[in-house]
Amino acid sequence: MTREPVVLGIETSCDETGIGIVRGRTLLANVISSSMDEHARYGGVVPEVAARAHLEAINPALEAAFAEAGIGFAELDAIAVTSGPGLSGALMVGVGAAKALAVATGKPLYAVNHLVGHVGADVLDAEPLEYPTVALLVSGGHTSLLVVRDLVGDVELLGETIDDAAGEAFDKVARILGLPYPGGPQIDRAAVGGDPTAIRFPRGLMLPKDLERHRYDFSFSGLKTAVARWVEKAQDAGEEVPVADVAASFREAVVDVLLTKAFRACADLGIPRLLLGGGVVANARVREAAAERAAAQGVQLRIPPLALCTDNGAMIAALGAQLVAAGHRPSGLGFGADSTLPVTEIQVDELAAPA
Amino acid sequence: MLLAIDTSAGTSVAVVEGDLVLAERSTEDTMRHAEVIGEMIAAVLDEAGVDPSRLDEVVAGMGPGPFTGLRVGIAAARAFALGIGRPLTPAVSHDAVALDEWSAGTRGPLLVVTDARRRELYWSSYDLGSDAVSRTDGPGLCRPDELPYPDVERIDATQVSAGALGRAALIRRAAGLPVEYTEPLYLRSPDVTVPGARKRVTR
């Protein structure tokens, strides 16, 4: 292809209906319709509520994205859609819409991996990725540490959470502190003026014995319980809970584990590059601490703009465009929604080369 | 000429022109809507020898139907309509079952029943007249022992024909009847409860 491919990306793996359009590595449109407010009263994402919201939002979001990009279907070279991982019922809305749109417009369809999409977000309006790079993806649904040797050909999972995702821990601790959902921004706000060293909360899977089997894995369930115990003990003693200190100390524990493991991977593998992605990267303390450690360890740190860190369609489009540019064939029409799609499967159901 | 899609039971896709079904593909599999929908749309267009640009509209079966599968067909129909720049016509899925019965010669009152999962049923009642089919009640949702019209002939459908759905939509329009439901007919709220007070971790 002599010019850069124009690709539409459709993302419906969780509670964000994301429609993006890119031209190669240039962002043309990024429309996100979130059902987050509808989940707030339930304290977390309700799959059926999310899926219903996707169906209502997807066509308006498509129209808004094309208006924003100032192009029509005819100008598209391809359509990309998230096949997984994510919530099955939510993913199916995007998959059904993408397949129909591909047949209606005669455009090739690329079924892609949501997590690799988060890495793909970082090529937009930025320098091309340097390989290999370590990538830390942290959101309400995922906490994964990857090594990316080639965005469209070689992604390896180093480790992931064995229980709660980091974003989930923020939501649960916010609830313990009587703060609303989603917890990330609430904890951030509550932590202002708090002492991050006031309480030494446990760091999951950081003991020498854990590091043998779970060197790059994460666990946040114990941390959440430790915070609950601490708060209950204070309440039982009739003391006022120092919310700012608890929030700051909890956040510090999460940030410490996330970054210690990520930078350790950089050191172990001799890779001086780290990329951050996922909604939790919106947390100011995560970015600040990452920048400090990167400077100290001589690691080049890349963080996409916030609108590209949370779930979005532009990252799916960007990954699709990279697949097209690299000469990958489209996916067949028979793929499904795969809630547990492994990160090694960058593209699903790529068609065989014609004989 | 129209494309009709229904995933309220299994998956069914058809190209319809007037009262003629030019091509139709159906499966009763209720677990693979997202997997089969694209290939089935491509297959009926290919079999009918129709380019998407020649279609005038897309008809979507709005249910009643269990939510996860139902959404796949509606999402596909809406996206297809957007892709070809043609209108979407929503239709009640049970109307297709009633029309198929009428076409097969059944006359008189009829209760159409489909599986709603969770030990519940979707129902609609019809009057199959000498020259027209009319829905007289429903669609509704109930437990099996609460089904209305117990004395009426009942058909338990495991498949909704997209061909019949497309024909039913055209017949309805020709009779001057308006589109009724533009949103999916789940007839059931999301299964979710607002959490109560947080449980203590220490006793």
Side-chain angles (χ1 to χ4, degrees):
Chain A
M1 193 163 293
T2 52
R3 58 184 186 82
E4 293 196 291
V6 178
V7 179
L8 168 71
I10 298 176
E11 151 68 36
T12 64
S13 69
C14 191
D15 62 341
E16 247 95 38
T17 311
I19 305 293
I21 302 173
V22 305
R23 175 179 282 118
R25 291 191 290 111
T26 307
L27 179 65
L28 300 182
N30 185 25
V31 173
I32 298 168
S33 172
S34 177
S35 59
M36 186 189 285
D37 292 347
E38 295 176 55
H39 304 286
R41 58 196 290 253
Y42 305 115
V45 174
V46 181
E48 175 63 17
V49 172
R52 289 186 182 196
H54 284 307
L55 182 59
E56 299 320 307
I58 193 162
N59 268 33
L62 280 164
E63 291 179 279
F66 278 98
E68 192 175 310
I71 63 165
F73 287 113
E75 280 106 306
L76 288 181
D77 293 300
I79 298 170
V81 64
T82 303
S83 171
L87 304 169
S88 287
L91 288 164
M92 281 184 215
V93 175
V95 169
K99 286 181 176 181
L101 206 51
V103 176
T105 58
K107 304 297 181 184
L109 182 62
Y110 290 76
V112 306
N113 187 301
H114 170 81
L115 285 172
V116 182
H118 273 297
V119 181
D122 205 42
V123 307
L124 288 171
D125 298 333
E127 293 299 310
L129 284 178
E130 246 186 283
Y131 299 125
T133 182
V134 174
L136 174 67
L137 307 178
V138 199
S139 69
H142 307 281
T143 307
S144 307
L145 194 56
L146 321 175
V147 54
V148 182
R149 297 190 183 85
D150 175 2
L151 181 64
V152 296
D154 186 354
V155 178
E156 181 193 336
L157 180 71
L158 292 174
E160 61 190 338
T161 182
I162 60 169
D163 42 57
D164 294 348
E168 220 175 332
F170 273 92
D171 293 338
K172 288 176 176 175
V173 167
R175 189 141 183 261
I176 291 166
L177 294 174
L179 302 170
Y181 172 89
Q186 294 292 337
I187 295 282
D188 246 8
R189 213 165 297 147
V192 172
D195 177 4
T197 64
I199 310 152
R200 176 75 192 177
F201 286 125
R203 270 64 170 160
L205 300 182
M206 290 283 277
L207 298 173
K209 67 177 171 65
D210 296 323
L211 289 176
E212 281 173 36
R213 274 192 59 214
H214 294 293
R215 189 168 185 81
Y216 303 123
D217 288 330
F218 302 91
S219 167
F220 296 105
S221 178
L223 170 60
K224 165 205 70 190
T225 307
V227 174
R229 281 179 195 281
W230 197 96
V231 169
E232 285 167 15
K233 196 176 158 203
Q235 286 167 335
D236 290 350
E239 295 162 14
E240 191 180 330
V241 176
V243 172
D245 284 351
V246 173
S249 299
F250 157 74
R251 186 179 63 179
E252 202 57 23
V254 175
V255 170
D256 188 22
V257 175
L258 288 173
L259 297 182
T260 299
K261 296 212 171 204
F263 281 97
R264 182 174 288 157
C266 290
D268 289 351
L269 301 170
I271 298 173
R273 284 172 291 276
L274 176 64
L275 185 157
L276 302 184
V280 172
V281 177
N283 190 290
R285 180 62 195 146
V286 172
R287 293 200 309 276
E288 181 189 282
E292 286 165 11
R293 293 199 195 198
Q297 201 174 312
V299 167
Q300 186 200 340
L301 183 69
R302 287 180 65 140
I303 307 177
L306 289 189
L308 296 174
C309 275
T310 51
D311 291 350
N312 65 86
M315 70 186 198
I316 300 304
L319 178 55
Q322 295 294 308
L323 287 163
V324 172
H328 281 244
R329 288 175 298 278
S331 302
L333 286 172
F335 66 90
D338 186 344
S339 60
T340 60
L341 184 68
V343 75
T344 44
E345 286 194 47
I346 301 162
Q347 181 188 355
V348 178
D349 199 22
E350 183 180 358
L351 290 170
Chain B
M1 191 156 36
L2 62 83
L3 175 73
I5 298 174
D6 191 285
T7 55
S8 66
T11 300
S12 183
V13 180
V15 177
V16 177
E17 186 165 34
D19 209 38
L20 278 181
V21 178
L22 302 183
E24 180 161 7
R25 287 275 192 292
S26 296
T27 169
E28 289 190 11
D29 191 337
T30 56
M31 301 297 289
R32 290 173 48 82
H33 300 100
E35 283 84 346
V36 301
I37 189 81
E39 287 170 344
M40 284 171 68
I41 297 172
V44 294
L45 291 171
D46 188 51
E47 187 186 321
V50 171
D51 187 84
S53 62
R54 284 181 53 209
L55 296 167
D56 300 305
E57 65 182 309
V58 181
V59 172
M62 304 306 287
F67 23 73
T68 306
L70 178 64
R71 270 192 293 269
V72 172
I74 298 174
R78 286 178 176 171
F80 197 100
L82 186 68
I84 60 172
R86 297 288 177 180
L88 179 95
T89 305
V92 174
S93 300
H94 284 177
D95 288 4
V97 179
L99 181 62
D100 264 342
E101 285 300 305
W102 186 84
S103 298
T106 308
R107 294 294 180 270
L110 178 75
L111 189 71
V112 173
V113 177
T114 52
D115 183 12
R117 312 252 178 106
R118 301 187 194 174
R119 277 171 267 168
E120 288 188 305
L121 299 170
Y122 292 121
W123 61 269
S124 301
S125 74
Y126 292 86
D127 180 35
L128 309 190
S130 54
D131 34 51
V133 176
S134 53
R135 187 167 1 97
T136 51
D137 197 2
L141 171 75
C142 68
R143 297 210 319 254
D145 58 355
E146 294 170 334
L147 260 189
Y149 309 106
D151 304 327
V152 164
E153 186 184 337
R154 162 180 167 182
I155 175 164
D156 286 84
T158 54
Q159 182 59 279
V160 171
S161 152
L165 185 81
R167 287 168 54 222
L170 291 176
I171 290 168
R172 198 178 160 79
R173 181 183 302 145
L177 295 168
V179 163
E180 297 159 288
Y181 304 101
T182 55
E183 297 305 322
L185 292 163
Y186 304 118
L187 306 186
R188 202 188 254 151
S189 296
D191 188 11
V192 58
T193 48
V194 177
R198 194 182 65 83
K199 289 197 192 77
R200 288 175 59 96
V201 297
T202 39
R203 299 278 157 203

